[in-house]
Amino acid sequence: MRIRLALLTACLSLATALPAQAAATDSHLEGRLPSGAAYVMDVPASWNGTVLLYSHGYSPAGAPNPAQNTPGAAVRDKLLAEGYALIGSSYATNGWAVTEAVPDQLATLDLFTEKFGAARRTLAWGTSYGGFVTTMLAERHAGRFDGSLSMCGLVQGGVANWNSTLDPVFALRTLLAPDSGIRLTGFAGQPEAVAAGKALTSKVDAAQQTPEGRARIALAAALHNIPGYNDASQTEPGPTDWETQQANQYTAVRGLLQMPAFSWRQEAESRAGGNPSWNTGVDYTAMFARSPLYKEVKELYKEAGLSLRTDLSALGRAPRISADQPAVRWMRNTSVLSGRLADPQLNIHTTGDALIPVQSESAYRRAAGAAGSGPLFRQAYVDAPGHCTFTPGETLAALHALEHRLDTGRWDTSPAALNSRATAADPTADPRYVPYRPAAYPRPYDLAHPGDTRP
């Protein structure tokens, strides 16, 4: 009898040490969390014991809101073939939904554990706004994860993001529509925000028809670090092809005006209870001098016969926008990162990103360094235009590089190593990881720097 009990105890111990299997076949589950968020889970029969919790990107209010558990079908298929369990939620609401996204993602992980058992390894990963959600999970719920991967993430955090979004539209209004009265913050609702965006867009469209207007649009783009090649459909400019660079930036500026700077801002303000951004005390001349686009703007102003010094002085004299302090506190409490990591995190970013410029990575490197997280943190860069335009191989290379760090305790994130992994994962596409270090983020704001709290 004692021998039988001992054998039974040993079998039970072994069962708890191994991940639960998804029966004899692959499992695909969809449903709703108590919050109303949708979830989706794919678990292969040959589950390798690792679960990947995917956080999706920004979905505007009113847009479809499906659950997602990978960046795309090709990555999903490859990961399932390798034995990974893939899970993710939709978040209960769209928009700046961090207060719903984080608990919904944790609830999805809880439900997975309930249905399939505890994983040997749990990784958080996400793209764009989801890269921000991923980093929030990694910082504030470190005990739930073994590591994290943020891809093209909004890792500058909420306050820095909305401040940086304000700067180019402030410059455009000041230089192209100084007496227009176009509102930039504090919208009463979506109709007012959309109307303001359309009004400023019409001014930008008219300005694009003249050399003077194009130079001023380029200056506004420089304050947001919008690259001169930001979409694969664009003509790639040469190093001194200022005309093509500016034309590409103009397209991105129009996109900024049509959604993030007005419509998306209003939605975030409605959550924060007011305007969480400001430009009081900002020295735009100094900010412009630090921009990697400085040379382009100077040449365009010269070609237009326009005085850059006069326009920068106009920005310096223009009445400023103050933040609503309760809204700043809300954004700080819910949406600002600390840089404090307890487990390894890898960030990857495309160099030609106009929506979340690559300089956002400098903002998080600053926070992680001040918080003492340097050994746990690495960044890598893909030389490509666009937002989150990683190939499946480049995505899988980053994930496997994170796992290598967890397995060995050593980072191996050189471009050569990542490109080798990308080729192995997807031989059909040329990998594009390169040595790169982005310029400083124009106006960083994180919890590791107390001085950032002063608007």
Side-chain angles (χ1 to χ4, degrees):
M1 184 67 176
R2 289 178 179 174
I3 293 174
R4 288 179 180 174
L5 287 173
L7 287 172
L8 179 60
T9 300
C11 289
L12 288 173
S13 298
L14 180 61
T16 58
L18 295 174
Q21 297 298 313
T25 60
D26 298 344
S27 296
H28 176 81
L29 298 181
E30 296 184 24
R32 293 277 172 183
L33 299 171
S35 68
Y39 67 82
V40 60
M41 302 182 184
D42 286 296
V43 185
S46 55
W47 179 31
N48 64 15
T50 296
V51 60
L52 306 178
L53 177 66
Y54 177 71
S55 297
H56 68 74
Y58 186 91
S59 296
N65 191 26
Q68 300 175 49
N69 61 1
T70 60
V75 170
R76 179 196 64 213
D77 293 346
K78 287 179 179 291
L79 288 174
L80 289 176
E82 294 178 12
Y84 294 89
L86 309 174
I87 66 175
S89 79
S90 65
Y91 320 150
T93 62
N94 285 352
W96 193 266
V98 65
T99 52
E100 289 85 16
V102 169
D104 284 341
Q105 289 291 77
L106 294 174
T108 301
L109 182 57
D110 290 338
L111 185 60
F112 171 84
T113 303
E114 177 186 319
K115 291 183 176 294
F116 296 99
R120 285 199 191 100
R121 176 176 287 170
T122 302
L123 303 178
W125 66 322
T127 49
S128 192
Y129 183 81
F132 164 62
V133 174
T134 292
T135 306
M136 293 290 289
L137 289 167
E139 288 189 356
R140 301 192 181 190
H141 301 277
R144 304 295 302 275
F145 302 97
D146 297 291
S148 55
L149 171 62
S150 171
M151 299 174 284
C152 54
L154 194 146
V155 290
Q156 69 270 42
V159 170
N161 172 72
W162 294 113
N163 276 343
S164 185
T165 303
L166 175 62
D167 293 328
V169 295
F170 178 81
L172 291 169
R173 186 185 68 177
T174 300
L175 299 177
L176 303 180
D179 301 317
S180 65
I182 296 172
R183 182 175 287 276
L184 304 182
T185 65
F187 304 108
Q190 272 291 303
E192 183 181 32
V194 171
K198 288 181 177 178
L200 191 53
T201 299
S202 69
K203 298 292 186 181
V204 169
D205 289 343
Q208 184 65 16
Q209 306 307 310
T210 69
E212 296 84 359
R214 290 192 289 272
R216 286 167 169 154
I217 293 168
L219 173 57
L223 297 178
H224 196 55
N225 288 328
I226 293 175
Y229 181 43
N230 55 74
D231 190 293
S233 67
Q234 295 173 338
T235 299
E236 182 175 4
T240 60
D241 184 356
W242 314 124
E243 181 179 343
T244 301
Q245 288 188 37
Q246 192 279 333
N248 293 344
Q249 289 165 332
Y250 161 65
T251 301
V253 167
R254 288 191 94 255
L256 181 73
L257 298 178
Q258 289 170 354
M259 296 298 288
F262 290 92
S263 177
W264 296 2
R265 170 183 286 282
Q266 187 278 327
E267 195 278 337
E269 288 184 350
S270 72
R271 291 175 181 269
N275 168 34
S277 55
W278 66 92
N279 66 353
T280 50
V282 173
D283 184 341
Y284 283 112
T285 298
M287 182 187 294
F288 167 65
R290 297 190 296 268
S291 172
L293 302 167
Y294 178 84
K295 177 67 172 175
E296 173 202 345
V297 176
K298 283 198 68 175
E299 291 300 320
L300 287 171
Y301 265 79
K302 181 179 178 181
E303 291 174 10
L306 199 62
S307 170
L308 178 57
R309 178 178 298 180
T310 297
D311 276 1
L312 289 172
S313 296
L315 290 180
R317 294 191 307 270
R320 299 309 174 94
I321 294 170
S322 299
D324 298 322
Q325 289 308 308
V328 176
R329 287 193 294 271
W330 183 91
M331 194 66 70
R332 178 181 174 85
N333 292 337
T334 64
S335 310
V336 174
L337 297 166
S338 69
R340 292 189 294 272
L341 296 169
D343 301 297
Q345 180 176 98
L346 174 62
N347 287 12
I348 63 173
H349 217 111
T350 47
T351 58
D353 192 338
L355 183 61
I356 304 177
V358 67
Q359 287 78 16
S360 65
E361 298 296 341
S362 295
Y364 196 69
R365 185 177 68 241
R366 169 183 183 262
S373 300
L376 292 170
F377 181 59
R378 289 294 185 274
Q379 296 167 309
Y381 300 95
V382 169
D383 184 22
H387 179 57
C388 299
T389 53
F390 309 110
T391 65
E394 289 161 352
T395 299
L396 293 168
L399 178 63
H400 294 326
L402 173 63
E403 291 183 299
H404 175 82
R405 170 62 174 78
L406 294 170
D407 291 338
T408 67
R410 294 179 290 102
W411 285 109
D412 186 16
T413 54
S414 69
L418 287 166
N419 285 333
S420 177
R421 292 183 185 276
T423 299
D426 180 12
T428 66
D430 292 331
R432 301 165 297 175
Y433 283 100
V434 293
Y436 187 81
R437 189 177 180 88
Y441 193 78
R443 286 209 276 156
Y445 187 107
D446 62 65
L447 299 180
H449 291 83
D452 290 348
T453 62
R454 296 190 293 272

